Amino acid sequence: MELPPPGPRGIPPLLARLVDDSALFPPGNAAMPEALRAHFEARGGEHAGVLGVFLCQASRLPELITELIKVRPTKPLPLSLIIDTGLGGVPKAISIVESRSELLALRMVEMPAPSDVDEVWLERVSEFVPEDVERVVEPRRGVGWLDGVRNVIEHGSWPKIRCGGLSSENFPSVDEVADFLSVVSTVSGASFKATNSLHRAVRHADPDTGFTHHGFLNLLVASARCLSGGNVREALEVTDGEALAAEAADLSADAAKAVRALFASYASATFDEPIADLKGLGLL
């Protein structure tokens, strides 16, 4: 088996910029100085090519900027702005980021959608967020959820799927994830982002909570199968890491590129765990 040609710093294209840094969020809840220190260490490390953007709440922008002034980064921090102040707070938050371009490079704006994901709200999102910044919108799972996903895509944003959390209700079923993939993959050029409880590569049961967690490698392989007409649900249910790794490693360079065009990235509260899993499975 041969991996696709290397990407940034020798990273396989299937894994390049895959893991966004959500250390500030549960279950990590890192303090700002600690989160930034770990992020910049990872960005300067051997596997920096796997690392994506740094996630920060809009409400914590002043704190982030204060700490970055102390750090004095040589390059602006690639940022995903998580809107926790309501849609009306988006213009001010973006203005703050853009006023500190020596410290911050806005790459993405993420926000939860209202329950009905109406067109007027989505149009305001498009108006507020600059065209060169990715818009990521999370429809709520429930009745009409997939219609919301379609609406998000039709308005030029990435839909986000929440794969876990602090209660069992936060974990979508295999069928729900498969249905989500089916909707996104049928729209040409559509991409999605995943978040929460995906810090491990392979599907597993957490011994402390008893919750069964989806694996990010399962999601990558399921995305590949979705594009090739394979069995998506089976890929999401696999707990054999070596089998998943072998299938991922067998993807051609073009297939890996197509998978990542679909599955753009996911947020993880830890960078060490996904890296350790990928190394253990021989993918790094």
Side-chain angles (χ1 to χ4, degrees), residues 17 36 39-40 43-44 51-55 61 64-65 67-69 71-80 96-108:
R17 310 298 182 209
L36 286 174
H39 182 86
F40 283 117
R43 194 160 289 284
L51 184 62
V53 295
F54 183 84
L55 277 60
L61 271 176
L64 173 63
I65 290 169
E67 291 302 323
L68 283 174
I69 290 171
V71 173
R72 296 183 180 180
T74 56
K75 295 181 179 179
L77 176 71
L79 176 69
S80 179
I96 291 172
V97 173
E98 292 179 339
S99 72
R100 304 311 300 255
S101 59
E102 78 283 6
L103 298 174
L104 296 166
L106 186 62
R107 298 283 185 260
M108 194 177 293

Side-chain angles (χ1 to χ4, degrees), residues 14 27 60 70 82 89 98 108 120 124 131 138 146 193 199 208 229 253-254 260 263 268 276-277:
L14 186 66
R60 298 184 68 178
K70 297 176 185 177
I82 310 299
E98 292 179 339
M108 194 177 293
V120 173
R124 291 186 70 198
E131 289 186 1
E138 180 187 346
L146 295 178
K193 181 171 182 176
H199 52 285
D208 295 326
D254 286 344
R260 290 303 310 286
F263 179 13
S268 175
D277 277 4

Side-chain angles (χ1 to χ4, degrees), residues 52-220:
V53 295
F54 183 84
L55 277 60
C56 181
Q57 303 94 326
S59 62
R60 298 184 68 178
L61 271 176
E63 183 186 0
L64 173 63
I65 290 169
T66 297
E67 291 302 323
L68 283 174
I69 290 171
K70 297 176 185 177
V71 173
R72 296 183 180 180
T74 56
K75 295 181 179 179
L77 176 71
L79 176 69
S80 179
L81 187 61
I82 310 299
I83 303 302
D84 61 346
T85 53
L87 184 59
V90 172
K92 180 179 179 180
I94 291 178
S95 177
I96 291 172
V97 173
E98 292 179 339
S99 72
R100 304 311 300 255
S101 59
E102 78 283 6
L103 298 174
L104 296 166
L106 186 62
R107 298 283 185 260
M108 194 177 293
V109 174
E110 306 181 44
M111 65 194 80
S115 56
D116 55 356
V117 201
D118 66 278
E119 292 191 4
V120 173
W121 186 89
L122 287 167
E123 287 171 3
R124 291 186 70 198
V125 172
S126 300
E127 292 172 4
F128 288 164
V129 181
E131 289 186 1
D132 61 345
V133 175
E134 298 295 349
R135 304 183 299 273
V136 183
V137 175
E138 180 187 346
R140 301 176 186 176
R141 280 189 299 115
V143 177
W145 174 57
L146 295 178
D147 290 334
V149 171
R150 292 186 186 94
N151 288 341
V152 168
I153 296 170
E154 289 171 0
H155 281 78
S157 297
W158 294 358
K160 180 163 69 173
I161 181 168
R162 185 169 298 272
C163 292
L166 301 179
S167 66
S168 59
E169 291 77 16
N170 296 131
F171 290 80
S173 68
V174 164
D175 283 345
E176 286 174 316
V177 177
D179 289 344
F180 174 88
L181 290 176
S182 178
V183 168
V184 181
S185 65
T186 56
V187 182
S188 177
S191 301
F192 76 90
K193 181 171 182 176
T195 190
N196 277 53
S197 304
L198 281 170
H199 52 285
R200 300 300 301 272
V202 182
R203 181 177 177 84
H204 66 283
D206 187 316
D208 295 326
T209 64
F211 299 152
T212 298
H213 290 243
H214 296 281
F216 67 83
L217 187 56
N218 293 80
L219 203 51
L220 283 169

